[in-house]
Amino acid sequence: MPFSELIGQERALGALRSALARGALHHAYLFAGPEGVGKATAARLLAQASNCDRAGASPDVAAAAGALPDPCGECGPCRKIARGVHPDVMVLAEERVMARAGRWEPRGGRAPSKDIVVDQVRDLVDHRLALRRGEGRRRFAIVDPADAMNPQAQNALLKTLEEPPDDTTLVLVSARPDLLLPTIRSRCARVAFGPLPDAAVAERLAAEGRAPEEVRLAVALADGSLGRARALDARALLAREEAVAAALALDPDDAGSWIAFAREQGQDREAARETCELLCLWLRDVLAVQAAGEGAPLALADLASFTQSAATALSPAEVVRRLELARAAVGALRQNAGAALALERVLIGWFHGDGQ
Ligand SMILES: [Zn+2]
C-alpha cells in the first residue's frame, strides 16, 4: 500500500516523507489527531517504507532524484509488517487487546487491563529494544493508543524517548494527546493529523461499494473520520434515521413526550450526537425545498414527507434558528455535554424558543 492510499493527510505525510527521503527520521514522533483518520496506517507505512526491500534499496538515489520512497507492500518485510510479525516493528496496544491476540500475558495471572501497563513498557525497553536489531534497516516501536499508557507506564518510557537506541524510531499514536504527560509530549516531534474532508471520505466509501444513500448518511455522521464512516453499517444508519423521524413526529404541545424522547435517545452520547447531525442534515433539506421547491434533491429521502410539510409550515428564518440549535448541540456533545440534557435543550429551543 503506497502513501497515496492514505487520503486527506498530505501535510502530515509531506513532513514524514521528506524526512524519510533525507534519511533523517526523528527518533520519536507523536501522531496526534482524531480517531479513524489514518494515524496508525501512517505509522505502519513509515515502518514499511523504511524497511521495504524495493523502495528503500537505494534511498540516496531516490532522494537525489526527488522521488519519495513508497513501500511496495509485497516484499517480505512489507508483508511481515502488515501482519504485525516483523521482529523489528513492535506494536504496544492495550493489555487486553494484546492478550486477546496472544501477544501478551499479564504477570501473576491477573486479568489483562484496558491500559498499557508498566510491565508492557518495561518488556519493550528492557528486553525487546535492548536486543540487537534483527533483519530490518530501521527499528520501530509503535504505541497505539499512546494515551492508554497509565502515568507509571509513561514514566517508564521517558528514558527511552530521551536516549533511544540507534536506528530506532518510536511512534506514539493518540487521539487524546492531552492525556500524555507533558514530559512525554515534549520529547516527541508532533505530526498533526486533521479530520478528513467529507468529499474524500465519500469518494472512498463509494469506491468500496457502499450505496450512494448510505454514503451520504455515513459522511454526515462520520465527523471527518474514515474509520468511523466505515464502522457505521446500514443498520446503525437506519436506527439514527428512525430517531430523527421520531424527533420530528413529537408534539410541540406535549413536553412530557420530548423529555421521554431525550431520555431514551440520550443514553449514549455518540448516538445523540449522530441524531443531532442528522437533524442538521434534515433541516438543510427543508431549506433546500424552501429554496428550490419539491424537486430539490434530498439527503434524507426517507423523511421527504416530514421535509415537505416542515418546508410549508416553518419560515426559512425559523428553520435556520432550529438548525443553529441542533448545531450547537452537536458542538456541546463533542465537548462531553450530557446527552439527554443536550437533546432536551434542542427540543425546548425548537418548540418554545420564539420567546427567548
Ligand atoms: Zn516492500
Side-chain angles (χ1 to χ4, degrees):
M1 178 165 143
F3 280 109
S4 56
E5 286 289 301
L6 204 58
I7 54 172
Q9 301 295 358
E10 288 74 18
R11 218 173 49 147
L13 289 183
L16 292 173
R17 295 183 74 182
S18 83
L20 200 57
R22 284 180 287 117
L25 276 189
H26 238 271
H27 65 266
Y29 286 100
L30 170 57
F31 287 6
E35 298 286 1
V37 299
K39 300 183 302 296
T41 306
R44 197 195 66 230
L45 283 166
L46 196 61
Q48 286 179 319
S50 303
N51 289 292
C52 175
D53 276 346
R54 297 179 205 168
S58 50
D60 298 340
V61 177
L68 298 170
D70 237 350
C72 73
E74 286 161 9
C75 67
C78 278
R79 281 170 186 274
K80 279 189 185 168
I81 292 167
R83 285 183 11 239
V85 296
H86 194 293
D88 288 326
V89 179
M90 296 150 249
V91 179
L92 274 196
E94 295 102 320
E95 200 174 32
R96 61 179 177 190
V97 171
M98 290 184 68
R100 216 180 296 135
R103 290 185 184 163
W104 175 255
E105 208 175 308
R107 303 257 159 87
R110 107 194 122 70
S113 78
K114 62 181 182 11
D115 292 345
I116 294 175
V117 299
V118 68
D119 282 349
Q120 289 172 279
V121 173
R122 287 210 181 108
D123 177 64
L124 176 76
V125 302
D126 296 345
H127 297 110
R128 302 174 69 192
L129 287 177
L131 294 172
R132 213 176 259 275
R133 182 153 46 89
E135 59 199 63
R137 285 194 302 275
R138 188 164 189 91
R139 200 153 50 160
F140 283 81
I142 299 167
V143 187
D144 177 18
D147 47 77
M149 285 189 289
N150 58 35
Q152 208 189 353
Q154 292 188 41
N155 278 316
L157 192 63
L158 264 184
K159 196 161 160 291
T160 307
L161 282 175
E162 249 165 7
E163 300 166 30
D166 287 342
D167 299 322
T168 300
T169 289
L170 282 91
V171 183
L172 308 190
V173 174
S174 179
R176 296 180 300 168
D178 49 306
L179 295 182
L180 295 168
L181 299 172
T183 43
I184 292 270
R185 289 198 302 259
S186 67
R187 282 165 176 76
C188 299
R190 190 182 182 114
V191 180
F193 288 72
L196 304 173
D198 285 352
V201 177
E203 197 180 314
R204 183 55 64 96
L205 293 179
E208 290 171 3
R210 304 278 290 261
E213 178 66 22
E214 234 181 282
V215 169
R216 257 198 307 273
L217 291 186
V219 167
L221 300 181
D223 233 358
S225 159
L226 182 60
R228 233 185 118 54
R230 279 183 176 139
L232 285 161
D233 59 13
R235 197 187 308 163
L237 294 171
L238 193 66
R240 300 277 47 90
E241 208 177 29
E242 278 167 4
V244 168
L248 302 182
L250 289 172
D251 177 357
D253 294 323
D254 181 4
S257 72
W258 325 336
I259 289 166
F261 172 86
R263 216 171 267 159
E264 193 193 318
Q265 296 293 325
Q267 289 171 16
D268 178 87
R269 188 185 303 126
E270 271 305 288
R273 182 184 64 74
E274 291 172 3
T275 299
C276 290
E277 300 257 21
L278 279 192
L279 283 170
C280 291
L281 200 63
W282 175 75
L283 287 161
R284 285 200 293 267
D285 277 354
V286 176
L287 287 173
V289 170
Q290 288 178 330
E294 281 193 23
L298 301 179
L300 300 174
D302 291 351
L303 301 177
S305 62
F306 288 112
T307 314
Q308 304 295 352
S309 56
T312 314
L314 304 173
S315 69
E318 174 61 13
V319 178
V320 169
R321 192 185 70 82
R322 293 188 178 196
L323 181 56
E324 276 161 9
L325 286 163
R327 255 193 214 135
V330 171
L333 288 164
R334 277 197 195 121
Q335 306 289 325
N336 295 353
L341 201 63
L343 286 171
E344 237 174 75
R345 217 168 260 163
V346 170
L347 295 170
I348 291 169
W350 276 21
F351 299 141
H352 277 261
D354 299 322
Q356 277 177 351

